[in-house]
Amino acid sequence: MRFFYGAAHEQFAPDDLLEQAVAAEQAGFEGIGCSDHLQPWWEGGEAGHAWIWLGAVGQATERVAIGTAVTPPGPRYHPVVIAQGWATLEAMFPGRPFLGFGSGESLNESPLGAEWPSPGEQVERMGEALEIIGELFAGERVDYRGDHFRTEGAVLHTLPARKPPIYVSAFGPKAARVAGRLGDGLWTLADPDQAPEVIDAYRGACDDAGRDPGEIVLQVQFSWAEDDAAALEGARAWKGSQPSEFYTDDWHEPRAMYEHGERQFSDDELMEALIISSDPGVHADRVREAADLGATTMALMNVSGADPMGAIEVYGEKVLPALRTVRA
């Protein structure tokens, strides 16, 4: 079991997040993942550029895996440019980068003026992009004519020896099957109602493709503070990310999204969806429950708005050792 630290670009400025990443490595996390957003889920948040930030993290740290959670293909990023970006990271920090890959949200694509596709088209677009990226990392010169992307003689002129693993985000069986066919692992939420079906679909697709299942990354968000009220207040903005329709439908105005989430989700429901507590034991127990859904890696996103650095310290001194001791 590995434990990755999730850096929330929606909530913290990039320089603050860089300090968090360095502290997370020192606290014992094995990887650093970060969200890849053009906009936050609420008005007044942050949205640093994930790729530029990862280069700084690679230089400022020594050994942790580094990557996104997750990068989408689409108007923002053509798959050829994504492949070039991760080839560059791999060339500079060999053996450390991973690519979290997903179908994206309207929040980050529609502001560029493109029409937001249906959920089925989103998954199809993701599959096309994965095919292109795979061919590029195989050293091929790619001429591709798809429904969503085209290339003409595209090639990676800086081609590293290792292809960074691609962990494909999936919230349902269709995307999970794409992950099993074209990815190196699955990335999904540690939702006990949803994760088992998604993991089963992923493993079934791996069997159908004659491939061994790869990494299963389950993500959960946590907020710690000196008291429970502060921990809740520090994470309350994340009500703006909770409605499931935000991940498939055409929602892209942060203020309206937060107001919609605030109407739909009570404080109690937010505390059930996220790990929000001042007690390190509660954090350890909740992470352990999530991991038991079938994870090989837990991605723990720090949304401790009240005290993010204190939360890292608590995880390093109490939560991660408790998790590793129990499993040993």
Side-chain angles (χ1 to χ4, degrees), residues 20-286:
Q20 291 182 29
V22 172
E25 180 181 57
Q26 294 170 349
F29 286 92
E30 288 99 344
I32 306 292
C34 71
S35 46
D36 190 344
H37 273 246
L38 181 67
Q39 299 193 102
W41 303 95
W42 59 87
E43 194 67 34
E46 298 280 349
H49 197 296
W51 301 14
I52 294 170
W53 184 83
L54 281 173
V57 171
Q59 187 66 24
T61 56
E62 296 180 1
R63 60 188 179 278
V64 286
I66 54 174
T68 48
V70 296
T71 293
R76 271 199 305 161
Y77 304 135
H78 192 282
V80 173
V81 177
I82 295 173
Q84 182 192 28
W86 263 257
T88 302
L89 284 173
E90 180 65 28
M92 293 193 299
F93 311 111
R96 296 175 60 190
F98 64 87
L99 172 59
F101 202 74
S103 57
E105 300 98 17
S106 176
L107 173 67
N108 302 305
E109 307 299 323
S110 293
L112 301 177
E115 184 177 345
W116 184 242
S118 68
E121 290 177 301
Q122 294 166 35
V123 175
E124 292 169 4
R125 182 169 69 181
M126 182 176 71
E128 282 192 10
L130 285 167
E131 290 175 357
I132 293 169
I133 292 170
E135 292 177 9
L136 289 168
F137 270 102
E140 299 178 19
R141 189 173 294 273
V142 182
D143 293 309
Y144 191 93
R145 295 292 182 271
D147 293 331
H148 304 280
F149 296 108
R150 294 189 174 189
T151 69
E152 185 170 343
V155 66
L156 290 178
H157 294 276
T158 296
L159 181 65
R162 170 188 177 264
K163 168 183 167 288
I166 301 176
Y167 306 138
V168 179
S169 174
F171 298 127
K174 186 173 182 179
R177 287 191 286 271
V178 174
R181 182 168 58 90
L182 296 170
D184 302 301
L186 172 74
W187 193 303
T188 193
L189 299 177
D191 180 344
D193 296 325
Q194 172 183 294
E197 180 185 14
V198 173
I199 293 171
D200 286 347
Y202 167 70
R203 288 174 172 159
C206 289
D207 289 342
D208 292 342
R211 311 175 71 202
D212 292 330
E215 204 80 27
I216 296 179
V217 184
L218 297 185
Q219 178 172 314
V220 67
Q221 294 170 302
F222 71 88
S223 178
W224 175 90
E226 290 287 350
D227 60 75
D228 289 352
L232 174 60
E233 186 60 34
R236 185 172 276 115
W238 287 90
K239 288 185 180 181
S241 72
Q242 296 305 303
S244 59
E245 56 267 31
F246 290 173
Y247 296 87
T248 55
D249 299 345
D250 187 7
W251 286 82
H252 59 268
E253 203 286 301
R255 187 182 302 278
M257 295 173 76
Y258 178 78
E259 291 172 354
H260 184 64
E262 173 69 27
R263 288 191 298 268
Q264 282 202 1
F265 284 82
S266 68
D267 287 353
D268 287 344
E269 288 171 318
L270 186 69
M271 293 182 72
E272 183 177 348
L274 281 58
I275 304 173
I276 299 175
S277 177
S278 60
D279 183 350
V282 170
H283 285 262
D285 288 344
R286 291 279 306 276

